Amino acid sequence: MAMKVALLGCGVVGSEVVRLLNERSTELASRIGTPLEIGGIAVRRLGRTRGTGLDPELFTTDAMGLVTRDDIDLVVEVIGGIEPARSLILAAIKSGKSVVTANKALLAEDGATIHAAARDAGVDVYYEASVAGAIPLLRPLRDSLAGDTVHRVMGIVNGTTNFILDRMDTLGAGFAESLEEAQALGYAEADPTADVEGFDAAAKAAILARLAFHTQGVTAADVHREGITEVTAGDIASAKAMGCVVKLLAICQRSADGTSVGVRVHPVMLPREHPLATVNEAYNAVFVEAESAGRLMFYGAGAGGAPTASAVLGDLVAVARNRLASTAVAEGAHDTGLPVHPMGDTITRYHVALDVADRPGVLARVAEVFAGNGVSIKNVRQEGHGDDAQLVLVSHPAPDAALATTVEQLRVLDMVRSVASVMRVEASGDDG
Amino acid sequence: MAMKVALLGCGVVGSEVVRLLNERSTELASRIGTPLEIGGIAVRRLGRTRGTGLDPELFTTDAMGLVTRDDIDLVVEVIGGIEPARSLILAAIKSGKSVVTANKALLAEDGATIHAAARDAGVDVYYEASVAGAIPLLRPLRDSLAGDTVHRVMGIVNGTTNFILDRMDTLGAGFAESLEEAQALGYAEADPTADVEGFDAAAKAAILARLAFHTQGVTAADVHREGITEVTAGDIASAKAMGCVVKLLAICQRSADGTSVGVRVHPVMLPREHPLATVNEAYNAVFVEAESAGRLMFYGAGAGGAPTASAVLGDLVAVARNRLASTAVAEGAHDTGLPVHPMGDTITRYHVALDVADRPGVLARVAEVFAGNGVSIKNVRQEGHGDDAQLVLVSHPAPDAALATTVEQLRVLDMVRSVASVMRVEASGDDG
């Protein structure tokens, strides 16, 4: 007997899922052990069958009616956003359906509620497509590393910003210009805020932190977030001079004593030899450091209809198999409860470039400010002279608050004409 | 009630598994939903408890008695090799135990028998550690890409040979010298045959082909295998001149018409911009091209006690959870039955460097040989002159047999003094 799938949303991803469910129906049936059949598709407006070649009767505007229908087994949600997605998913779960979703915003904001509801109902909620598109990442974190201790997850999880930063790096272009190119090529939306301000990456960071550290309470609001709108051609040039590239990273890190976690999204200078540094264009990649497994990286397309549909179908096969076996994965039942510590307590390293007066005693005065905040300097170099004199410093690891204070104090020193560039630096090693 | 684990073998990996089972017992119990307890450890010789701090009573030389003991739930096999591992695993399965193994040789030779026995008994056999150590790879291939169609899997799956080739590339050293260094550093064994002749990689290739193409009949014997012992400093220099590196790759590829698969291990010239080209030292990485997901890569440590133990523990958590839920993964039930085509039918590209007489007509004669075999030349360049004249050619894709014949015919041309270098080339794109 076929399993019936309800689809919520039929845009770029949804229509690709429909196409593949038809095209690969024999293979999927064989891999699952029973055929999948589309039981209904909820759309906002009827009137077009969207070139799917499907029976127009399958389409409905009554999403709630569809997800609670008795004959539906599995629900695929690709509407996105918090509501009505949350109400529909919770209703589906309560009606005993398993759910596959690509909804990062909802999982980041309210994943704990969703998972708790799924556990109560004994159904699955799978969401591989919500982070890093087609890259098999969430399942490896949840399952393959289940016997290991993850120390840090560091990822390029937003293709738009990676494309923009890659252009700035390879062409020496500015942010505005690179954003325009990304928009022209369809890599950035007309309103690019969610991407360039790091909201998208922050939602994914919250999901990654929850899986990596088995701590269920982390939400997007807990994530320290800085976007790339203030990254300048000068920052990129400074990074190059240090053998680094600038990447927008989502970083989830266990504190040194293991009692809390830091979750943050911000631009980072990364050594060119780091595996993440070679990830260009709109590709995504996630780097994981675990106690036993060591350094792992997962790389692939982070967005797009086909890659996202691949992840959705992989999940669909899994939840269908689980359903056939009358089992479900009780995600989130194990909660370490590790709290998120404030950004100020996170140990980071800063790169600071200062336009300074070219006279004796400047370095001494600057070094004094670092020392006064308990921050050691790893290296310093002077570039140019006269009115072009620039002092470039890289700190040793220190609490982010101490580094931020250092920069504020440098900003008002009379021999510092301006702070030309401030950016955090991640090392290849484990001192970051 | 605790689940009891029997451990077969207590060497580097086994003792690390024991250590981690103790050290992480609370976390593991919480993630699984019940504690794990070591029920017994089978070793070849008693007499030392191997610094585990365990009750000496746990150790036994009667492995068969241990795996069939009524109170044992899960069996971890880290002995390696075909026998007695196969008999022990089959006996464990028949007694209703789920099995976690790192045994690539056994799975490559007789995986179909093992999986069939597991399906009959309704138990799990997990083996993430058998390929690419800690890199979560098999589960993503089996599960995450279950809804996709994999076209090609291309991997650096042997750390020893990657270390040797990396040294040859960075230091310009020869094979013998680099092998000695690898042995001195513990990256290569005293008898390096299994690694440098490609046997280890071939076993992994068979396992990857089975998972990627859902074709259960592929064994190590079906894999075309060439090692790296004949790779010369000249080959590496030739590769460099083309902007390539030399890597030993395991390549599993669906034929263009989708009716068969090719599975092979051999040295390859790979463009430096390919993601696999940057994988250095003893790291492993596997590159996957799937219809919807696009290009994916998985990177990490391919061997070593801790990384392998991480993969074993991840599997142990999974099979324990499945057991609690009274379910099992029926791997291999879906068999596409795709046959393996001979190496000669595989479409490849060749790089050929010929030491030639420096006189008119040489290129014409050489080109004629290529044409006579239906092989087009992509590019050709002449280097040196007089007695040092070398003709370097790269072909377009053609059946491997036609390319091999071309080289044999070139070898006996009177104006060809010698064939200095022959190696297959993989492109970044999809024409390889």
Side-chain angles (χ1 to χ4, degrees):
Chain A
M1 224 183 67
M3 274 199 198
K4 280 205 177 165
V5 180
L7 191 68
L8 307 181
C10 199
V12 175
V13 176
S15 55
E16 182 68 8
V17 169
V18 169
R19 194 181 72 76
L20 294 174
L21 279 175
N22 287 325
E23 191 180 296
R24 298 185 185 151
S25 59
T26 315
E27 277 160 285
L28 292 172
S30 167
R31 289 179 200 170
I32 294 167
T34 197
L36 294 179
E37 187 187 313
I38 296 175
I41 303 172
V43 291
R44 220 175 303 171
R45 275 182 300 276
L46 292 177
R48 29 178 194 150
T49 55
R50 291 158 195 260
T52 54
L54 290 174
D55 181 356
E57 293 289 310
L58 286 174
F59 290 87
T60 174
T61 54
D62 178 15
M64 192 54 87
L66 177 61
V67 301
T68 53
R69 231 172 65 192
D70 282 348
D71 63 326
I72 296 294
D73 301 291
L74 312 170
V75 172
V76 174
E77 184 270 310
V78 285
I79 312 172
I82 307 295
E83 284 294 348
R86 173 167 47 201
S87 304
L88 292 170
I89 287 176
L90 288 172
I93 290 170
K94 269 186 204 121
S95 315
K97 328 298 192 198
S98 285
V99 174
V100 173
T101 171
N103 195 326
K104 59 190 168 265
L106 174 57
L107 282 157
E109 181 165 311
D110 215 4
T113 306
I114 307 272
H115 294 312
R119 284 198 305 279
D120 288 347
V123 300
D124 279 324
V125 174
Y126 273 43
Y127 51 101
E128 185 65 76
S130 68
V131 182
I135 309 175
L137 175 65
L138 304 190
R139 210 174 319 199
L141 269 181
R142 191 192 67 194
D143 297 336
S144 309
L145 291 170
D148 210 329
T149 301
V150 174
H151 292 304
R152 181 157 75 155
V153 177
M154 199 157 87
I156 295 168
V157 293
N158 180 272
T160 305
T161 48
N162 201 54
F163 180 88
I164 292 171
L165 291 171
D166 189 27
R167 284 306 155 125
M168 291 176 72
D169 183 65
T170 52
L171 305 178
F175 169 74
E177 190 185 337
S178 302
L179 170 59
E180 270 176 40
E181 191 194 350
Q183 287 171 320
L185 292 170
Y187 285 119
E189 293 180 41
D191 176 359
T193 312
D195 294 318
V196 300
E197 296 291 3
F199 288 101
D200 175 83
K204 293 165 178 171
I207 295 173
L208 289 174
R210 256 197 330 247
L211 282 167
F213 307 125
H214 306 269
T215 179
Q216 305 306 322
V218 183
T219 69
D222 297 317
V223 181
H224 174 85
R225 179 190 51 74
E226 299 170 32
I228 63 162
T229 54
E230 283 165 34
V231 176
T232 64
D235 292 328
I236 306 271
S238 263
K240 271 193 181 168
M242 291 208 310
C244 288
V245 290
V246 175
K247 295 288 182 191
L248 181 72
L249 296 186
I251 304 177
C252 314
Q253 187 162 10
R254 207 181 277 270
S255 64
D257 65 1
T259 60
S260 64
V261 298
V263 193
R264 50 195 166 113
V265 169
H266 56 70
V268 162
M269 289 184 183
L270 199 67
R272 280 188 192 268
E273 62 272 18
H274 193 284
L276 285 175
T278 60
V279 176
N280 49 27
E281 301 187 351
Y283 276 94
N284 280 199
V286 177
F287 192 75
V288 177
E289 293 165 66
E291 190 164 313
S292 297
R295 298 153 49 109
L296 301 170
M297 191 172 82
F298 304 81
Y299 165 97
T308 309
S310 169
V312 167
L313 282 187
D315 279 355
L316 210 41
V317 169
V319 300
R321 277 181 184 160
N322 284 353
R323 207 167 177 86
L324 265 189
S326 303
T327 182
V329 172
E331 181 166 326
H334 166 49
D335 187 358
T336 57
L338 284 176
V340 176
H341 59 246
M343 185 62 194
D345 294 351
T346 297
I347 305 299
T348 62
R349 294 202 297 145
Y350 271 38
H351 160 277
V352 183
L354 305 171
D355 293 328
V356 293
D358 187 9
R359 60 173 141 102
V362 172
L363 177 57
R365 188 68 195 92
V366 166
E368 206 172 56
V369 172
F370 274 83
N373 289 290
V375 177
S376 338
I377 294 168
K378 178 163 184 253
N379 58 56
V380 58
R381 67 176 199 277
Q382 172 146 5
E383 300 206 328
H385 47 78
D387 283 353
D388 282 334
Q390 200 173 63
L391 212 53
V392 181
L393 303 107
V394 177
S395 79
H396 273 296
D400 199 78
L403 288 158
T405 305
T406 303
V407 172
E408 286 323 301
Q409 292 175 355
L410 291 172
R411 216 179 276 284
V412 296
L413 277 193
D414 60 350
M415 61 248 296
V416 170
R417 293 201 311 276
S418 69
V419 177
S421 169
V422 179
M423 198 174 287
R424 296 183 187 89
V425 179
E426 288 291 327
S428 283
D430 50 3
D431 67 347
Chain B
M1 222 184 65
M3 275 197 199
K4 280 206 177 165
V5 180
L7 191 68
L8 308 181
C10 199
V12 176
V13 176
S15 55
E16 182 68 8
V17 169
V18 169
R19 194 181 72 76
L20 293 174
L21 279 175
N22 287 324
E23 189 180 298
R24 299 186 185 150
S25 60
T26 317
E27 277 160 283
L28 291 172
S30 168
R31 290 179 199 171
I32 294 166
T34 198
L36 293 179
E37 188 187 312
I38 296 175
I41 303 173
V43 291
R44 221 175 303 172
R45 276 182 299 275
L46 291 177
R48 29 177 193 150
T49 54
R50 293 158 195 259
T52 54
L54 290 174
D55 181 355
E57 293 289 311
L58 285 174
F59 290 85
T60 173
T61 54
D62 178 16
M64 191 54 86
L66 177 62
V67 301
T68 53
R69 231 172 65 192
D70 281 349
D71 64 326
I72 296 295
D73 300 290
L74 311 171
V75 172
V76 174
E77 184 269 311
V78 285
I79 312 173
I82 306 296
E83 283 295 347
R86 173 168 45 199
S87 303
L88 293 170
I89 288 177
L90 288 172
I93 289 170
K94 268 186 204 121
S95 315
K97 327 297 191 198
S98 285
V99 174
V100 173
T101 171
N103 195 325
K104 58 188 168 266
L106 175 57
L107 282 157
E109 180 165 311
D110 216 4
T113 306
I114 307 273
H115 293 313
R119 284 197 305 279
D120 287 348
V123 301
D124 279 324
V125 175
Y126 274 43
Y127 51 103
E128 185 64 77
S130 67
V131 183
I135 309 175
L137 176 65
L138 305 189
R139 210 171 321 196
L141 268 181
R142 192 192 67 193
D143 297 337
S144 308
L145 290 170
D148 210 329
T149 301
V150 174
H151 291 306
R152 181 157 73 155
V153 176
M154 200 156 87
I156 295 168
V157 294
N158 180 272
T160 305
T161 48
N162 202 54
F163 179 87
I164 293 171
L165 292 171
D166 189 27
R167 283 309 155 123
M168 291 176 72
D169 184 65
T170 51
L171 306 177
F175 169 75
E177 190 184 334
S178 302
L179 170 59
E180 269 176 41
E181 191 194 349
Q183 287 171 321
L185 292 170
Y187 285 120
E189 294 179 43
D191 175 359
T193 312
D195 293 319
V196 300
E197 296 291 2
F199 289 100
D200 175 82
K204 293 165 177 169
I207 296 173
L208 289 174
R210 245 178 2 227
L211 282 166
F213 307 125
H214 306 270
T215 180
Q216 304 305 322
V218 184
T219 70
D222 297 317
V223 181
H224 173 85
R225 178 190 51 75
E226 299 170 32
I228 63 162
T229 53
E230 284 166 34
V231 175
T232 64
D235 291 329
I236 306 270
S238 262
K240 270 194 180 166
M242 292 208 309
C244 287
V245 289
V246 175
K247 295 288 183 191
L248 182 71
L249 296 186
I251 304 177
C252 314
Q253 187 163 10
R254 207 182 278 270
S255 63
D257 65 1
T259 61
S260 65
V261 298
V263 194
R264 51 197 166 113
V265 169
H266 56 71
V268 163
M269 289 184 181
L270 200 65
R272 280 188 193 266
E273 62 271 18
H274 192 285
L276 286 175
T278 59
V279 176
N280 49 26
E281 300 185 351
Y283 276 95
N284 281 199
V286 177
F287 192 75
V288 177
E289 294 165 64
E291 190 165 314
S292 297
R295 297 152 50 110
L296 301 169
M297 192 171 82
F298 304 81
Y299 165 98
T308 308
S310 169
V312 167
L313 282 187
D315 279 355
L316 210 41
V317 170
V319 301
R321 277 181 184 160
N322 284 352
R323 207 168 178 86
L324 265 189
S326 302
T327 182
V329 172
E331 181 168 327
H334 166 48
D335 187 358
T336 58
L338 284 176
V340 176
H341 59 247
M343 186 61 192
D345 294 352
T346 298
I347 304 299
T348 62
R349 293 203 298 146
Y350 270 38
H351 160 276
V352 183
L354 306 170
D355 292 328
V356 294
D358 187 9
R359 60 174 140 101
V362 172
L363 176 57
R365 189 69 195 91
V366 166
E368 206 172 57
V369 172
F370 275 83
N373 288 291
V375 178
S376 343
I377 294 168
K378 179 164 184 255
N379 58 55
V380 57
R381 68 176 197 277
Q382 173 147 5
E383 301 206 327
H385 47 77
D387 283 351
D388 282 335
Q390 200 173 63
L391 212 54
V392 181
L393 303 106
V394 177
S395 78
H396 274 295
D400 199 78
L403 288 158
T405 305
T406 303
V407 172
E408 285 325 301
Q409 293 175 355
L410 290 172
R411 216 180 276 283
V412 296
L413 275 192
D414 62 349
M415 61 249 296
V416 171
R417 293 200 314 275
S418 68
V419 177
S421 169
V422 180
M423 198 175 286
R424 297 184 187 88
V425 179
E426 289 290 327
S428 283
D430 50 3
D431 67 347

